Amino acid sequence: MSKHTIPHIARQNGHPVLMVEDKPFILLAGEVHNSDSSSPAYMEHIWEIAEHLGMNTLLLPVTWEMIEPEEDAFDFSVPQALIDQARERAMKIVFLWFGSWKNAECMYAPAWVKQDLRRFPRAQIVKGKNKAGRQVSPTIPVKMPYTTLSYLGTETMQADAKAFAAFMGFLKDYDEERQTVVAVQVENETGLLGAAREVSDEADALFASEVPVDFAAYMRAHSDSMTDEIRAAVLGGRECGNWREVFGETADELFSAYHVAKYVNTVAAAGKAVYPLPMTANCWLDKGSEPGSYPTGGPVSKVHEAWDFCAPSIDVYCPDIYVPQFKEVCDEYTRRGGALFIPECATHSYAAPRLLYTVGHFHAMCYSPFGFDDIGHPFSAQQGFLFGMDVSDPALKTPQSFEEYAAIGHILREMMPMLAQAYGTNCLQAVSAETDPVTPHPSGNPFMAIPPMMDFGAFRVSAHFQGPMNPRGDGALLCLKISDAECWLVGNACSISLSSGDPDRTNLDLLSVEEGGFENGAWRSGRRLNGDETAQMNMDKPSVWHMKFFAYK
Ligand code: DGJ
């Protein structure tokens, strides 16, 4: 038995944090391409890249077809080898359970599930059809063949839950002592494409019958936090009745959410009963589009209240963010006080600034670029399209510099215990060029525009991301306050100014500014910056500075 409680989520200063070995932990992570973790030999160089990038955790698929190739015959040799590899490098793992769902399809179900359509029925988006064309987008007049398992398939759900429980049993036996695996994602991008709900005879009959009264009552009682569209439908509908009567125009999506979330919960609960690691559900974003054009019923933010009711075994809903509106999505997924856990995001030039920003501003539990071994490589138009990125924006097409990500990654990995201790307090803050534009001065004078500022009470730190000294416009700055007269700054592509926030001592002067780095958690100072280097405090490369200062009248 380990002397530590198993990894779990706790509240620290009111903020949700992941506890590993009884200490707050930040997943400075990367998710591998879908097929990589099927081969531990292939993974060798991927682990190496992750280490170069300063990551402390990898998100790795473990698939139903791989661990249960024949019914009831389990093989955990691959996940076991992956755990061994992580231990050799003192890294952690979040396993991604690719079971009934992978991107709203069922490609990772074992052959014995795929081939038995009677026992394991397919979803019908066209009545009577096990596979049907789905419109990819309203602007592309092409239909793609689509099939997936039905969310009403009780036997499928039970078989998936049984396999997942067996996997969690393996993790408990092999890893409870060492705690290499710190969380598990249950399924991948659940939901239905091509229609807002299934339309089989069974689905139609259920849709026309009474909404479970406890669900209808729960939704009414939790309308405060809902998006306007769902709240209006919930409060505008009948208190009981069939799905359309109770939920109006949103009935089809809530019907799907109810069944998908109940299904996922059955799988998660079966696993938690064996080994209760934190469990997450990731999400293909709806991007404001029509149900059916994104995996409907999956945990998009507008149906979180439905998921809360149906899937209490899921601890965090996680956005996969490839869209340019990064901060808006993070705000949406944290609006109800939940943790920010980003299992997937793009590898363009905002990847490193967003790492700093999500840790410093959102106190994120996880930040994880998808296919991180692509960092440093240009995108093809095909990749951009497949990843759902907006490739018309040149900034989002520029690849993230490998060296810069690695530099920031290493600094954060070394500082992680200190940063995690500050989660939930305002001692840790960040701003970035992407998320914090300057505020124009009322006079219109661009030289008097107000730069983004972090307010720590006794002192303030402003970041200048645009200007003659910083033409790049993709900078970010994180500040960790140690006391009213001392802080750490981690940043890139910005200049910095400090001012007093003390109304009685409005002047602030520097005492010392050290650049340097951490080695095995210990600070190694480099140059002591002064003169020209502090007259214009410019971070033109990824840097960490230790600063001391004082305020006076
Ligand atoms: C989102 C999925 O969750 C990932 O597994 C992967 O397919 C990416 N899209 C990009 O292809």
Side-chain angles (χ1 to χ4, degrees):
M1 272 291 286
S2 166
K3 55 183 188 304
H4 302 294
T5 320
I6 65 166
H8 60 282
I9 294 173
R11 292 252 158 197
Q12 172 179 290
N13 307 307
H15 186 82
V17 289
L18 178 65
M19 302 295 287
V20 175
E21 294 170 5
D22 297 318
K23 292 190 284 291
F25 194 86
I26 307 169
L27 302 171
L28 305 169
E31 180 168 330
V32 301
H33 281 290
N34 293 164
S35 308
D36 295 0
S37 58
S38 65
S39 162
Y42 186 90
M43 278 299 297
E44 284 295 343
H45 81 283
I46 301 286
W47 285 107
E48 243 171 67
I49 296 171
E51 281 188 305
H52 282 304
L53 290 169
M55 293 169 172
N56 61 16
T57 304
L58 286 193
L59 274 55
L60 302 176
V62 57
T63 72
W64 188 5
E65 65 170 1
M66 182 172 68
I67 65 139
E68 196 182 9
E70 283 168 37
E71 191 165 8
D72 288 328
F74 291 100
D75 175 359
F76 298 114
S77 53
V78 170
Q80 179 168 325
L82 297 169
I83 292 172
D84 293 343
Q85 289 179 322
R87 287 178 183 169
E88 277 163 28
R89 294 168 169 81
M91 288 180 72
K92 300 290 184 192
I93 292 177
V94 174
F95 276 123
L96 314 173
W97 173 243
F98 285 9
S100 299
W101 277 278
K102 164 67 174 73
N103 301 15
E105 295 187 36
C106 60
M107 53 263 224
Y108 286 97
W112 56 271
V113 171
K114 283 181 180 153
Q115 288 172 307
D116 191 345
L117 277 81
R118 193 196 48 78
R119 223 175 127 200
F120 307 115
R122 298 296 169 97
Q124 294 180 13
I125 56 168
V126 172
K127 198 177 262 304
K129 297 250 184 274
N130 288 322
K131 189 166 191 172
R134 73 166 182 95
Q135 185 95 26
V136 178
S137 99
T139 51
I140 306 175
V142 175
K143 288 198 169 180
M144 295 255 291
Y146 176 68
T147 185
T148 196
L149 291 161
S150 168
Y151 50 61
L152 301 175
T154 311
E155 275 210 63
T156 335
M157 179 174 77
Q158 285 164 350
D160 188 338
K162 188 172 164 195
F164 185 64
F167 173 61
M168 294 306 292
F170 153 74
L171 288 187
K172 181 178 166 64
D173 291 346
Y174 195 64
D175 196 49
E176 189 176 15
E177 173 86 33
R178 299 279 297 270
Q179 305 192 355
T180 315
V181 181
V182 296
V184 179
Q185 176 186 295
V186 188
E187 312 291 348
N188 192 84
E189 294 189 342
T190 55
L192 183 73
L193 284 170
R197 67 167 176 89
E198 295 185 17
V199 297
S200 62
D201 290 344
E202 184 194 1
D204 282 351
L206 276 172
F207 189 71
S209 63
E210 292 270 301
V211 174
V213 282
D214 49 353
F215 179 54
Y218 181 92
M219 293 296 276
R220 284 196 155 251
H222 292 80
S223 63
D224 279 359
S225 60
M226 288 174 178
T227 59
D228 294 345
E229 181 202 4
I230 303 284
R231 185 187 311 110
V234 167
L235 298 182
R238 287 178 41 181
E239 282 189 25
C240 56
N242 68 33
W243 286 79
R244 184 70 68 216
E245 288 165 341
V246 173
F247 295 125
E249 288 302 301
T250 63
D252 304 80
E253 179 155 22
L254 287 172
F255 177 83
S256 288
Y258 179 86
H259 289 289
V260 172
K262 286 256 175 196
Y263 189 127
V264 171
N265 192 60
T266 301
V267 176
K272 271 198 169 169
V274 179
Y275 187 41
L277 285 181
M279 295 201 181
T280 68
N282 71 327
C283 169
W284 171 332
L285 304 177
D286 58 308
K287 303 174 201 163
S289 54
E290 286 302 304
S293 59
Y294 58 90
T296 304
V300 296
S301 71
K302 63 178 160 172
V303 297
H304 281 178
E305 288 77 11
W307 269 72
D308 287 349
F309 176 82
C310 299
S313 293
I314 296 298
D315 299 292
V316 195
Y317 310 125
C318 310
D320 294 344
I321 313 181
Y322 297 99
V323 294
Q325 300 78 9
F326 182 76
K327 181 169 187 307
E328 286 85 333
V329 174
C330 297
D331 283 337
E332 207 179 307
Y333 278 74
T334 51
R335 75 192 154 91
R336 301 178 325 135
L340 182 63
F341 190 120
I342 304 175
E344 296 182 36
C345 58
T347 55
H348 51 56
S349 62
Y350 287 134
R354 287 174 178 181
L355 166 65
L356 270 182
Y357 184 69
T358 49
V359 168
H361 178 79
F362 285 105
H363 300 184
M365 201 173 270
C366 175
Y367 178 83
S368 167
F370 176 82
F372 61 85
D373 49 316
D374 293 341
I375 287 180
H377 301 291
F379 300 122
S380 63
Q382 189 200 24
Q383 261 177 320
F385 177 77
L386 287 176
F387 286 14
M389 277 184 255
D390 177 358
V391 284
S392 60
D393 178 349
L396 299 173
K397 271 198 289 190
T398 311
Q400 169 65 52
S401 143
F402 188 92
E403 290 69 28
E404 289 195 357
Y405 196 101
I408 297 283
H410 278 284
I411 294 169
L412 293 192
R413 185 173 179 175
E414 289 282 343
M415 292 180 75
M416 190 276 282
M418 254 199 284
L419 298 170
Q421 286 293 343
Y423 267 26
T425 73
N426 80 344
C427 292
L428 177 61
Q429 299 184 36
V431 286
S432 79
E434 184 192 14
T435 51
D436 301 275
V438 292
T439 311
H441 190 262
S443 68
N445 182 341
F447 294 100
M448 293 172 76
I450 302 155
M453 186 192 74
M454 294 173 267
D455 187 348
F456 294 93
F459 66 95
R460 295 167 180 158
V461 181
S462 296
H464 309 260
F465 296 120
Q466 262 104 22
M469 289 195 306
N470 286 297
R472 292 174 42 161
D474 64 352
L477 182 67
L478 171 152
C479 180
L480 175 65
K481 169 182 165 176
I482 302 301
S483 72
D484 285 352
E486 182 182 353
C487 70
W488 293 98
L489 290 179
V490 184
N492 188 23
C494 63
S495 8
I496 297 145
S497 52
L498 260 69
S499 57
S500 172
D502 181 343
D504 299 324
R505 297 180 302 156
T506 53
N507 301 301
L508 184 141
D509 282 354
L510 298 174
L511 288 174
S512 67
V513 181
E514 284 176 350
E515 66 176 8
F518 291 90
E519 272 173 42
N520 302 323
W523 173 243
R524 303 264 179 264
S525 54
R527 290 185 303 171
R528 186 177 171 109
L529 303 182
N530 207 337
D532 292 346
E533 282 69 49
T534 52
Q536 302 288 343
M537 290 194 286
N538 197 27
M539 283 185 173
D540 53 10
K541 59 178 190 303
S543 309
V544 50
W545 291 355
H546 182 212
M547 305 185 80
K548 290 188 177 166
F549 38 86
F550 72 107
Y552 57 99
K553 206 160 175 157

